[in-house]
Amino acid sequence: MDTVLGIDLPTWWFLLIGALISGYGILDGFDLGAGALHLFFRKEESRRIALNAIGPVWDGNEVWLVIGAGSLFAAFPLVYGTILSVFYLPFILFLVAIIFRAISIEFRSKEKMKWWRKLWDISFCVSSIAISMLLGLILGNLIQGIPLNANHEFVGRLRDFFNPYALLVAITVLSLFMMHGAMYLIMKTEDRIFARLTIIANNTSKFFILCFMATSLATLIYVPHMTAIFKDYPELFVLPIGAVLIVLNIRRSIEKRQYRRGFVSSSVTTALLLILFAMGLYPNLVLSNIDPKGHISIYEAASSDGSLRTMLLFAFIGMPLVGMYTVFMFWTFRGKVKLEEHSY
């Protein structure tokens, strides 16, 4: 099998897709969180400020999801087909929610009637919550495994997706995004809405820590395969310990009113939790909870070495460009939000 810098090609693509998903979780996480908090703002001006805080960046953040999905299709087509088939309904609901969230942002400011704006405010908030929870639901099921037989065929039922563990992960993802979004909005606002957001950030961080503790305990008890790697490589314990310390630093930053530091900590928390998820899976991408022969590994699902090598070259060129564009976008729209005539 071909290697690059001593790492085989399927593993390279496992790492690259993981980086793309982490980027999406960090970047779209805060604007999904801002959307989930939208109805907590009662004044029209506050809602407009919150919308304009994410207005210049929300669609660019979703580029990471598109690239991640495209990379999964190109590098691991078997996994792409299996996941889309298994999670057909959740992904349809996910796409519907993305559509309604986009049109809510764009349509809200087109008319000044109160009922019109209230309608799209509700749509924006509900769709943001739905996207966050659907992502968590899919993640929770991938962590504990899905019912695949030896031929990688789904043999479960729809209601199997809505199991207690997956629902707990869904709530945890929502709480993380709400906290993440609150701290982003704090950095972009001032005056009365700033004061309101400091209270929201304090409450959402407490909610997230409770969910984090409950999910961690449930994972240790009910999903032992996710921690098996630490028995073989005990030095990797530094990662979960680091995650716990960074989560505690979020609370410390909020209490000291160091919200920029808290935002960085919540971003690192998102990345670390996804890294721990990837470590629990590797070298598999999909786990079967009924038959080990149903597991799909990166080596079984990978495209040909020639395809992976060619695409890797483009990835090494394209990913830095996407990263630079993201940095440029945030630098251009840095600072506090000021409402103007053509603002949302």
Side-chain angles (χ1 to χ4, degrees), residues 143-158:
I143 290 172
Q144 64 179 351
I146 51 182
L148 297 177
N149 63 21
N151 296 319
H152 309 312
E153 297 171 342
F154 180 66
V155 294
R157 296 165 294 182
L158 177 62

Side-chain angles (χ1 to χ4, degrees), residues 171-182:
I171 295 171
T172 303
V173 169
L174 175 62
S175 66
L176 172 60
F177 286 174
M178 291 173 72
M179 176 187 68
H180 196 40

Side-chain angles (χ1 to χ4, degrees), residues 289-318:
N289 58 12
I290 61 171
D291 186 353
K293 294 180 180 179
H295 296 345
I296 304 178
S297 73
I298 59 174
Y299 304 106
E300 181 182 5
S303 298
S304 67
D305 282 356
S307 298
L308 293 179
R309 181 178 288 276
T310 302
M311 293 187 297
L312 191 63
L313 175 63
F314 285 101
F316 283 157
I317 297 172

Side-chain angles (χ1 to χ4, degrees), residues 51 73 89 159 210 217 235 297:
L51 271 176
F73 170 73
L89 181 59
R159 66 184 184 187
L210 288 174
L217 183 61
E235 62 273 14
S297 73

Side-chain angles (χ1 to χ4, degrees), residues 155-206:
V155 294
R157 296 165 294 182
L158 177 62
R159 66 184 184 187
D160 293 338
F161 295 138
F162 300 94
N163 57 80
Y165 180 80
L167 291 172
L168 179 59
V169 174
I171 295 171
T172 303
V173 169
L174 175 62
S175 66
L176 172 60
F177 286 174
M178 291 173 72
M179 176 187 68
H180 196 40
M183 282 187 287
Y184 176 78
L185 291 177
I186 285 175
M187 296 190 299
K188 301 292 289 182
T189 58
E190 52 193 353
D191 300 329
R192 188 173 297 176
I193 185 174
F194 174 89
R196 173 73 171 159
L197 280 162
T198 58
I199 298 172
I200 292 174
N202 184 52
N203 292 334
T204 53
S205 64
K206 292 177 181 176

Side-chain angles (χ1 to χ4, degrees), residues 214-258:
T215 304
S216 299
L217 183 61
T219 302
L220 289 171
I221 296 173
Y222 299 110
V223 198
H225 62 261
M226 293 302 292
T227 59
I229 189 171
F230 300 112
K231 296 178 182 178
D232 299 328
Y233 304 96
E235 62 273 14
L236 294 178
F237 262 111
V238 67
L239 290 174
I241 292 172
V244 171
L245 293 176
I246 291 172
V247 168
L248 294 176
N249 189 58
I250 295 173
R251 279 298 306 162
R252 179 176 178 274
S253 300
I254 291 173
E255 290 172 358
K256 290 182 173 293
R257 302 179 71 84
Q258 297 172 336

